[in-house]
């Protein structure tokens, strides 16, 4: 069995210094990275890969979540996102609501990937996340503390949350068509997603295994990565899969890479 359709829904652009995305490269050059989520239609269910930026967080970070996120105030001016890019609006544009999603696979739990989790927990969706990521997200250290927000993560602590904490590769439907695989380094429990489509063939949504095509090609991780060594190992693992499966790899924050995917309501098939 194969995936029917892959929709790419961009929740915003976040501009930062290119050297943050690709270490020690093009210092001072602004880089407006995309922040998409991906909707996967499969004959046995619907999968959302990541939940994107939170409109509420970028609109008022000091009041976001039970403790606020005041440290984000200096970052949100660099986020370009409007009301039409709320994840629920983007889903509606292709005929879906959060309640129509069966499984949410989280690449990791940084705020630009894990905003809006509350919508999907409220809707009863299963949330699949690497166990290492789930544990680390609630007690991060160093610069990583900036990127894990209580307002994003608290829904995962609810007793009624349907959270599947995995350890290693995970075949969502058991047929090899939607497979999450560990790519740690950018964060402690980062994972990427490999899809098999009838016409497009093998597709790897690398998420933040690399933050730009140049970083992917040159084995250069994000400067703020949890582990630079593990990041490089994971980039090379993705490249190995790319060769073995003759896959198309898409780098999450690279607008040129994401621009190769169809604009909704069109989808990759």
């Amino acid at each position: 069995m194969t995936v029917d359709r892959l929709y790419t829904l961009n929740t915003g652009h976040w501009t930062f210094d290119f050297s943050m995305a690709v270490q020690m490269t093009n210092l001072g050059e602004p880089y407006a990275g995309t922040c998409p989520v991906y909707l996967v239609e499969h004959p046995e269910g619907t999968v959302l890969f990541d939940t994107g930026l939170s409109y509420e967080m970028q609109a008022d970070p000091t009041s976001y979540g039970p403790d606020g996120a005041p440290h984000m105030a200096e970052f949100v001016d660099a986020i370009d996102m409007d009301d039409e890019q709320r994840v629920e609006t983007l889903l509606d544009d292709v005929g879906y609501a959060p309640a129509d999603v069966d499984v949410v696979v989280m690449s990791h739990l940084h705020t630009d990937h894990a905003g809006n989790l509350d919508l999907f927990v409220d809707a009863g969706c299963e949330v699949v996340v690497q166990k290492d990521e789930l544990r680390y997200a609630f007690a991060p250290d160093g610069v990583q503390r900036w990127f894990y927000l209580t307002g994003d993560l608290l829904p995962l602590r609810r007793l009624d949350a349907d959270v599947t904490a995995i350890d290693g590769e995970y075949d969502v439907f058991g047929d090899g068509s939607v497979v999450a695989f560990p790519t740690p380094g950018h964060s402690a429990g980062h994972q990427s997603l490999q899809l098999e489509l009838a016409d497009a063939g093998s597709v790897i949504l690398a998420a933040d295994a690399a933050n730009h095509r140049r970083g992917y090609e040159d084995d250069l991780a994000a400067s703020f990565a949890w582990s630079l060594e593990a990041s490089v190992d994971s980039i090379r693992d993705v490249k190995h899969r790319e060769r073995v499966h003759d896959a198309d790899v898409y780098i999450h924050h690279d607008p040129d890479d994401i621009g190769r995917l169809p604009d909704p309501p069109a989808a990759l098939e």
Side-chain angles (χ1 to χ4, degrees):
M1 205 171 291
T2 57
V3 167
D4 292 330
R5 294 176 190 85
L6 170 65
Y7 294 96
T8 304
L9 312 173
N10 186 36
T11 65
H13 288 80
W14 196 333
T15 299
F16 45 89
D17 193 292
F18 192 91
S19 65
M20 290 179 62
V22 183
Q23 55 180 319
M24 300 302 292
T25 305
N26 298 351
L27 275 71
E29 179 181 306
Y31 170 42
T34 45
C35 297
V37 303
Y38 309 90
L39 184 69
V40 180
E41 288 183 356
H42 183 277
E44 295 185 4
T46 304
V47 177
L48 189 71
F49 187 41
D50 285 344
T51 56
L53 280 165
S54 165
Y55 184 81
E56 288 73 21
M57 188 281 290
Q58 68 90 31
D60 186 10
T62 59
S63 300
Y64 184 63
D67 306 315
H71 69 280
M72 293 300 298
E74 60 187 279
F75 287 101
V76 294
D77 286 345
I79 297 175
D80 182 11
M81 178 188 190
D82 61 37
D83 190 67
E84 296 301 309
Q85 290 175 287
R86 292 175 181 265
V87 73
E88 61 268 40
T89 302
L90 296 171
L91 286 171
D92 184 67
D93 289 343
V94 293
Y96 283 89
D100 298 321
V101 174
D102 298 298
V103 181
V104 176
V105 177
M106 298 304 302
S107 66
H108 61 305
L109 297 173
H110 286 175
T111 187
D112 54 326
H113 295 255
N116 311 298
L117 268 169
D118 58 327
L119 296 176
F120 299 95
V121 172
D122 287 346
C125 306
E126 177 188 10
V127 179
V128 175
V129 61
Q130 287 286 333
K131 186 182 296 184
D132 286 347
E133 183 71 8
L134 192 61
R135 288 175 170 170
Y136 182 77
F138 286 96
D141 54 4
V143 70
Q144 290 284 320
R145 288 179 295 177
W146 288 75
F147 306 116
Y148 292 102
L149 306 187
T150 304
D152 295 331
L153 304 178
L154 207 56
L156 300 178
R157 297 288 298 271
R158 285 171 29 185
L159 293 178
D160 63 341
D162 184 5
V163 178
T164 300
I166 61 174
D167 185 10
E169 191 168 299
Y170 185 78
D171 189 334
V172 176
F173 296 108
D175 61 6
S177 65
V178 182
V179 178
F181 62 97
T183 45
H186 182 79
S187 69
H190 187 279
Q191 61 184 347
S192 303
L193 194 69
Q194 183 167 345
L195 308 174
E196 300 298 329
L197 292 96
D199 294 332
S202 296
V203 167
I204 296 174
L205 303 176
D208 285 7
N211 273 186
H212 186 272
R213 173 60 57 172
R214 179 169 179 183
Y216 178 70
E217 298 294 348
D218 294 344
D219 294 350
L220 295 173
S223 299
F224 54 89
W226 172 75
S227 167
L228 293 174
E229 181 179 6
S231 293
V232 173
D233 288 344
S234 290
I235 290 172
R236 292 173 177 171
D237 284 347
V238 173
K239 288 179 178 178
H240 176 70
R241 282 182 177 255
E242 179 183 18
R243 290 191 298 270
V244 169
H245 297 278
D246 190 24
D248 289 324
V249 175
Y250 294 93
I251 308 301
H252 184 91
H253 290 300
D254 189 323
D256 291 332
D257 256 37
I258 299 307
R260 296 189 290 119
L261 290 161
D263 291 327
L268 193 68
E269 299 183 10

